[in-house]
């Protein structure tokens, strides 16, 4: 496999839930060592897209190839060997609640390596240390905060030194300092290990600091895909609205306010909202 | 009232039928993991299986023993009354032992295990499903069936027969208590006629039944857990369904096996 063929290639993905299209004819390529950040409002189908890319959700149509392996059609062994080289951190963490953090990180190590216990313990400690959780290794997921869960999920995704990482909103719900720390960690991973990253977020600041390429998702499609500069230059009204944080519902809100005040017998003028 | 009752029966049966396909798939996949997987680098997880056997025993032993004791006592009183009328009280130990071993111990123990351990399996796997832990396993390349279902099936297939044998002993002891305490029969004589009456086929029937019940409980509860979608409410629903469906199937299978052994002679 040459370095010029994309590492991840999705063609014509379609996914509907109960007749509602969540992913609509979507194409996507991710190159070796690249960081693609997928931006989008909540409910725009970002998590569903990641689930299709990682083979968790079978799309209604379209294909996903990772390193040339069709993850919905090829034989189980090819897919299994691929899985050992990818890590995923879920939006909610998805830590194993019946295991301590150390056991969570140890699980992939004990399943896929023949390392002796002591080595696995050291690796576990290093991975938890990378996300600042070495003091919490013997705690259960239910005993730690949401931000710590996210970081523990990241540590688990990193356990086998994956070549590809999928992140679903790693920094959502973190305090600003922890969030910046996570961005820094991701940048280091990128530079030191040349990890290929597909990251979903709606944190604009971390998106722009990490991304090689950005894609903005809206109603199951990408409105723009390109470098950070391309995205910043985009004239698409929805992209502008997203980047400038203009609430889409502002106009409806003022209508509601108007109706409310009129029915209360108050004819005061409703303040104009400049929407677009 | 009657139509509501019929609808209720229909609803439960339809629920079971709708499950048949999924349960069958799970069964095939489990057999694949258990017998084919080891030749492809997958392994049987011994340690979790042992922990689950301990858990199943711990969950159900006290309750199933209590129930077996009471059932043995009931059987003794019931048969003493009937046999006494025809002057055949000497057959009582025989009747008590064979009904306990062939019928009551496997059935009652399986129902208790379905209620305690089966429901725990459905709740655990259901929670793992809705919190995406199953997805996390899949992404890692760990097969959820080999990692979660096979150890639970094995644990049930080992622990349920053991629990049944224990219930057999406790049930016979319950009969003995009534015979000695209430009917004033001799304990030694009672035990001797019990062992005289026992045939290998009685014990075999009981153990075959308990193995079949174990597979039923395991497949139904794992299936209910793994197909859970949504949130905590759905986990509760899966837990209840696992118990209801297991009990219906256990009793149906009991009839089936009893009929086969009866026809065979
Ligand atoms: N399993 C599912 N069943 C039904 N609808 C779903 C399911 N998963 C996601 N959806 C719907 O798909 C839409 C997109 O969800 P998601 O991909 O999680 O969005 P995002 O991650 O961008 O916030 C939502 O409206 C959600 O209700
Ligand atoms: Mg999401």
């Amino acid at each position: 496999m040459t370095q010029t063929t994309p590492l991840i290639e999705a063609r014509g993905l379609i996914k509907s839930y109960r007749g509602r299209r969540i992913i609509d004819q979507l194409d996507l390529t991710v190159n070796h060592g690249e960081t693609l950040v997928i931006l989008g409002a909540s409910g725009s189908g970002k998590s569903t897209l990641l689930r299709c890319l990682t083979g968790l959700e079978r799309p209604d149509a379209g294909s996903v190839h990772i390193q040339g392996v069709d993850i919905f059609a090829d034989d189980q062994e090819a897919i299994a060997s691929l899985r050992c080289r990818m890590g995923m951190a879920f939006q909610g963490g998805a830590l194993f609640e019946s295991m301590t953090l150390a056991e969570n990180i140890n699980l992939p190590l004990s399943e896929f390596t023949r390392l002796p216990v002591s080595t696995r313990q050291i690796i576990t400690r290093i991975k938890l240390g990378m996300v600042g959780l070495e003091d919490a290794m013997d705690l259960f997921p239910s005993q730690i905060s949401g931000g710590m869960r996210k970081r523990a999920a990241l540590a688990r995704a990193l356990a086998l030194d994956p070549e590809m990482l999928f992140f679903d909103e790693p920094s959502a719900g973190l305090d600003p300092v922890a969030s910046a720390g996570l961005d820094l960690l991701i940048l280091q991973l990128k530079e030191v290990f040349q990890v290929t990253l597909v990251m979903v977020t709606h944190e604009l600041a971390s998106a722009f600091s990490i991304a090689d390429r950005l894609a903005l998702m809206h109603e199951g499609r990408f409105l723009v895909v390109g470098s950070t500069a391309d995205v910043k230059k985009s004239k698409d009204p929805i992209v502008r609205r997203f980047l400038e944080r203009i609430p889409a519902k502002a106009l409806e809100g003022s209508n509601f306010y108007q109706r409310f005040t009129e029915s209360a017998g108050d004819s005061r003028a409703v303040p104009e909202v400049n929407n677009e | 009232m009657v139509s509501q009752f019929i609808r209720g029966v229909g609803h439960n049966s339809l629920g079971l039928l709708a499950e048949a396909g999924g349960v069958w798939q799970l069964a095939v996949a489990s057999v694949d993991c258990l017998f084919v997987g080891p030749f492809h680098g997958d392994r049987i997880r011994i340690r979790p299986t042992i922990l689950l056997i301990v858990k199943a025993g711990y969950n159900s032993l006290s309750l199933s023993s209590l129930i077996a004791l009471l059932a043995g006592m009931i059987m003794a009183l019931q048969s003493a009354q009937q046999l006494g009328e025809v002057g055949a009280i000497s057959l009582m130990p025989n009747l008590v032992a064979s009904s306990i071993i062939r019928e009551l111990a496997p059935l009652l123990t399986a129902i208790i295990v379905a209620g305690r351990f089966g429901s725990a399996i459905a709740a655990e796997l259901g929670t793992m499903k809705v919190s995406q832990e199953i997805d996390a396993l899949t992404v890692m390349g760990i097969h959820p069936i080999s990692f979660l279902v096979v150890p639970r099936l094995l644990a049930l297939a080992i622990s349920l027969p053991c629990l049944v044998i224990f219930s057999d002993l406790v049930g016979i002891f319950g009969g003995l208590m009534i015979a000695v305490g209430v009917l004033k029969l001799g304990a030694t004589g009672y035990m001797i006629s019990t062992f005289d009456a026992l045939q290998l086929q009685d014990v075999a029937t009981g153990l075959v039944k308990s193995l079949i019940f174990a597979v039923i409980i395991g497949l139904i509860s794992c299936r209910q857990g793994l197909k859970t979608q949504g949130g905590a409410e759905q986990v509760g629903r899966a837990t209840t369904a696992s118990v209801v469906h297991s009990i219906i199937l256990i009793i149906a299978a009991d009839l089936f096996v009893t009929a086969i052994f009866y026809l065979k002679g």
Side-chain angles (χ1 to χ4, degrees):
Chain A
M1 183 129 314
T2 62
Q3 292 290 307
T4 49
T5 52
L7 181 67
I8 304 168
E9 185 168 30
R11 288 270 159 266
L13 285 185
I14 297 178
K15 179 76 199 174
S16 311
Y17 286 118
R18 295 187 211 100
R20 232 183 88 223
R21 277 219 176 158
I22 306 298
I23 309 279
D24 192 7
Q25 280 289 346
L26 194 134
D27 297 324
L28 169 91
T29 55
V30 185
N31 297 315
H32 282 269
E34 184 184 44
T35 299
L36 174 72
V37 173
I38 301 170
L39 283 166
S42 96
S44 56
K46 307 179 300 292
S47 295
T48 308
L49 175 61
L50 270 198
R51 293 172 59 78
C52 288
L53 292 179
T54 48
L56 285 173
E57 201 83 65
R58 185 177 281 275
D60 303 332
S63 65
V64 176
H65 286 84
I66 300 181
Q67 293 192 334
V69 176
D70 185 333
I71 59 166
F72 292 106
D74 271 322
D75 63 298
Q76 290 303 313
E77 268 163 58
I79 296 170
S81 85
L82 203 61
R83 292 217 180 280
C84 297
R85 282 175 286 146
M86 60 196 233
M88 172 150 178
F90 287 82
Q91 196 167 354
L95 297 167
F96 302 117
E97 299 286 332
S98 61
M99 302 180 189
T100 64
L101 296 194
E103 286 165 347
N104 262 281
I105 281 95
N106 179 55
L107 180 70
L109 295 169
S110 67
E111 285 285 323
F112 297 110
T113 69
R114 290 179 188 283
L115 298 171
V117 178
S118 56
T119 315
R120 284 192 261 129
Q121 277 170 345
I122 293 168
I123 297 178
T124 302
R125 196 177 286 276
I126 292 173
K127 300 291 170 183
L128 279 170
M130 281 170 80
V131 295
L133 283 177
E134 61 272 70
D135 295 332
M137 45 189 297
D138 294 321
L139 296 182
F140 285 91
S142 58
Q143 296 169 318
I144 60 176
S145 73
M148 291 163 87
R149 294 170 73 95
K150 294 234 170 200
R151 284 184 280 152
L154 173 55
R156 187 179 66 185
L158 293 174
L160 291 172
D161 296 324
E163 294 164 30
M164 291 160 265
L165 262 179
F166 297 86
F167 274 168
D168 201 347
E169 310 212 359
S171 50
L174 291 191
D175 61 84
V177 176
S179 169
L182 203 62
D183 288 353
L184 201 63
L185 175 65
I186 292 169
L187 283 170
Q188 281 169 354
L189 286 174
K190 210 174 119 173
E191 267 153 36
V192 180
F193 302 106
Q194 268 96 48
V195 191
T196 307
L197 255 169
V198 180
M199 181 172 130
V200 162
T201 186
H202 48 221
E203 298 272 321
L204 289 175
S206 66
F208 280 100
S209 70
I210 290 168
D212 297 322
R213 259 189 329 140
L214 276 164
L216 201 141
M217 199 164 173
H218 181 73
E219 292 181 350
R221 288 166 180 268
F222 286 152
L223 291 178
V224 342
V225 185
S227 67
T228 50
D230 292 341
V231 172
K232 277 183 177 153
K233 277 193 309 226
S234 167
K235 296 249 181 324
D236 188 299
I238 301 171
V239 177
R240 298 257 43 101
R241 188 186 284 163
F242 191 86
L243 297 184
E244 286 155 26
R245 300 162 173 266
I246 299 170
K249 293 278 192 281
L251 204 59
E252 288 168 33
S254 71
N255 281 343
F256 175 76
Y257 180 66
Q258 200 160 25
R259 248 181 288 136
F260 181 73
T261 50
E262 275 165 9
S263 69
D266 184 345
S267 55
R268 218 167 6 138
V270 175
E272 256 334 285
V273 176
N274 184 6
N275 190 23
E276 218 318 286
Chain B
M1 191 35 211
V2 173
S3 74
Q4 211 170 10
F5 168 76
I6 293 175
R7 209 174 304 145
V9 173
H11 182 76
N12 273 328
S13 325
L14 281 182
L16 260 174
L17 271 184
E19 281 306 296
V23 172
W24 175 248
Q25 275 179 2
L26 186 63
V28 171
S30 309
V31 168
D32 192 61
C33 285
L34 193 54
F35 297 108
V36 185
F39 297 103
H40 293 273
D42 202 1
R43 60 205 162 80
I44 310 283
R45 285 155 231 268
I46 310 284
R47 245 174 62 94
T49 307
I50 293 172
L51 291 177
L52 285 160
I53 291 173
V54 173
K55 193 175 160 202
Y58 178 81
N59 259 352
S60 312
L61 185 64
S62 53
L63 189 56
S64 68
S65 311
L66 176 65
I67 300 282
L69 185 74
L70 297 178
M73 293 165 76
I74 294 168
M75 271 313 294
L77 282 173
Q78 194 72 265
S79 50
Q81 195 179 19
Q82 310 263 314
L83 293 172
E85 281 171 19
V86 294
I89 195 84
S90 61
L91 285 179
M92 188 194 96
N94 183 355
L95 190 58
V96 171
S98 66
S99 24
I100 291 280
I101 290 173
R102 296 173 77 120
E103 194 56 54
L104 289 175
L107 189 65
L108 294 174
T109 310
I111 288 176
I112 286 159
V113 169
R116 303 216 64 158
F117 192 54
S119 64
I121 291 176
E124 185 188 11
L125 298 195
T127 309
M128 291 183 76
K129 178 74 190 302
V130 299
S131 62
Q132 293 190 311
E133 289 177 44
I134 309 268
D135 286 337
L137 284 175
T138 308
V139 169
M140 279 179 196
I142 301 175
H143 201 318
I145 293 183
S146 134
F147 188 74
L148 296 171
V149 176
V150 169
R152 278 161 183 75
L153 281 173
L154 286 178
L156 274 162
I158 294 168
S159 61
L160 188 53
C162 296
L163 285 167
V164 166
I165 289 174
F166 197 75
S167 295
D168 288 344
L169 299 175
V170 176
I172 290 171
F173 178 72
L176 179 72
M177 272 168 60
I178 291 293
V180 174
V182 180
L183 307 170
K184 307 293 177 215
L185 303 176
T188 332
Y190 187 93
M191 287 318 288
I192 289 174
S193 34
T194 297
F195 284 113
D196 276 351
L198 267 189
Q199 287 176 356
L200 189 62
Q201 207 203 3
D202 295 329
V203 182
T205 314
L207 290 185
V208 168
K209 279 183 180 176
S210 65
L211 267 181
I212 294 174
F213 298 162
V215 173
I216 290 176
I217 298 170
L219 286 176
I220 296 285
S221 339
C222 289
R223 164 72 186 156
Q224 284 295 339
L226 290 179
K227 74 164 203 164
T228 308
Q229 290 213 318
E233 192 188 330
Q234 293 303 311
V235 175
R237 200 206 50 75
T239 311
T240 313
S242 80
V243 178
V244 173
H245 291 182
S246 297
I247 290 179
I248 297 176
L249 276 181
I250 284 170
I251 295 178
D254 190 28
L255 172 66
F256 186 71
V257 178
T258 307
I260 286 181
F261 275 96
Y262 175 78
L263 292 176
K264 260 184 59 201

